[in-house]
Amino acid sequence: MVTTDASFERAYIQYLPAVSGYLFRRVERQHVEDLAADVFAIAWRKRDSVAEGEELPWLYPIAANVVANHRRKQASGVALFAALRPADSAPSAEEIVAADSALAEAWGQ
């Protein structure tokens, strides 16, 4: 990619729809805009490593890495939330049935 601001802006305008479409098919809709911004922020920092005309094939792996990082963050957030959530104190239906043999017999019939 040519390192001028104008050439990067043209590439951004040209390839944003394709990158956003790629992201839209892989993450929740509310995250697409932020992740697309992350993709192009990375592209801006590494813009000297791509040849003119090869921008889109170069952007897709960046987007794939951004998606993978996003999914890892989501998974670790869910795991943390589950670890911090208090355990349920109510017994399960199976525990109730096993504890009450009359009820278990009734269910058996």
Side-chain angles (χ1 to χ4, degrees):
M1 202 178 293
V2 178
T3 60
T4 67
D5 291 353
S7 64
F8 187 84
E9 183 179 352
R10 281 191 305 274
Y12 174 81
I13 291 168
Q14 182 177 357
Y15 300 121
L16 178 62
V19 170
S20 295
Y22 177 91
L23 296 169
F24 184 78
R25 291 186 298 275
R26 287 160 178 82
V27 299
E28 301 83 9
R29 180 181 200 143
Q30 70 266 20
H31 300 292
V32 170
E33 188 174 325
D34 289 338
L35 295 179
D38 291 346
V39 169
F40 282 96
I42 294 166
W44 173 256
R45 289 192 304 271
K46 298 182 177 198
R47 66 191 178 277
D48 292 331
S49 67
V50 66
E52 186 81 27
E54 297 295 320
E55 292 91 351
L56 188 58
W58 177 72
L59 287 167
Y60 282 136
I62 294 172
N65 289 333
V66 167
V67 168
N69 290 337
H70 171 74
R71 288 180 178 162
R72 277 192 291 275
K73 286 179 190 176
Q74 295 284 78
S76 66
V78 169
L80 177 62
F81 179 74
L84 296 176
R85 194 179 79 211
D88 293 336
S89 59
S92 69
E94 293 82 17
E95 292 172 324
I96 293 170
V97 170
D100 188 343
S101 60
L103 184 57
E105 187 178 322
W107 276 106
Q109 295 176 0

